[in-house]
Amino acid sequence: MPSLSRYAPYVLGILRIVAAILFIEHGTQKLFGIPERMAGMTAAPEMFTLLWWAAVLEIVGGGLILVGLLTRPVAFLLSGQMAVAYWIAHAPQNMFPALNGGDAAILFCFVFLYLVFAGPGRFSVDRE
């Protein structure tokens, strides 16, 4: 519908912001236990381990996506992170994403990949 197309940049901006908030939450969960630690985690991961780097990318990269700064390159990096996370952490458990807990990783991967091509939308520092 042509009448709805004019709202696309606004909805893209909202998608970027909501995805970033959810992504940041995964990082704070890993590093700080906020809102609470993931199942099986009793403490924050040791510094410079793979899980620690993932959390840092989720918090810092998510923050950059949230404000719309360097959106395309950061989204490219985070999309790759989520692809790697899926194949390392989720796929070995089960073939089906609904059963291996990887459905969020897949969605984040493709939302961030979309941002690489679509840009940040409205409400961003990048202001394309």
Side-chain angles (χ1 to χ4, degrees):
M1 289 183 147
S3 61
L4 291 178
S5 296
R6 66 182 170 184
Y7 299 109
Y10 297 96
V11 176
L12 175 58
I14 292 168
L15 172 67
R16 187 194 82 248
I17 291 166
V18 170
I21 290 168
L22 294 173
F23 201 63
I24 292 167
E25 183 180 21
H26 283 274
T28 60
Q29 180 184 35
K30 288 179 187 79
L31 278 187
F32 310 120
I34 299 168
E36 66 181 45
R37 296 229 182 265
M38 299 181 330
M41 282 187 71
T42 56
E46 288 188 42
M47 285 184 75
F48 307 114
T49 61
L50 196 58
L51 195 57
W52 184 86
W53 280 113
V56 169
L57 281 171
E58 289 163 1
I59 295 169
V60 175
L64 290 169
I65 294 290
L66 177 67
V67 298
L69 180 62
L70 303 170
T71 301
R72 291 177 194 265
V74 171
F76 181 76
L77 177 69
L78 297 181
S79 178
Q81 177 199 0
M82 288 295 93
V84 169
Y86 180 80
W87 291 109
I88 288 176
H90 300 284
Q93 295 178 37
N94 193 295
M95 181 175 141
F96 299 100
L99 299 177
N100 68 22
D103 40 2
I106 293 170
L107 281 171
F108 279 125
C109 178
F110 283 93
V111 166
F112 292 140
L113 186 61
Y114 177 66
L115 291 177
V116 171
F117 292 93
R122 298 291 177 159
F123 322 117
S124 70
V125 174
D126 287 343
R127 291 194 185 116
E128 291 185 356

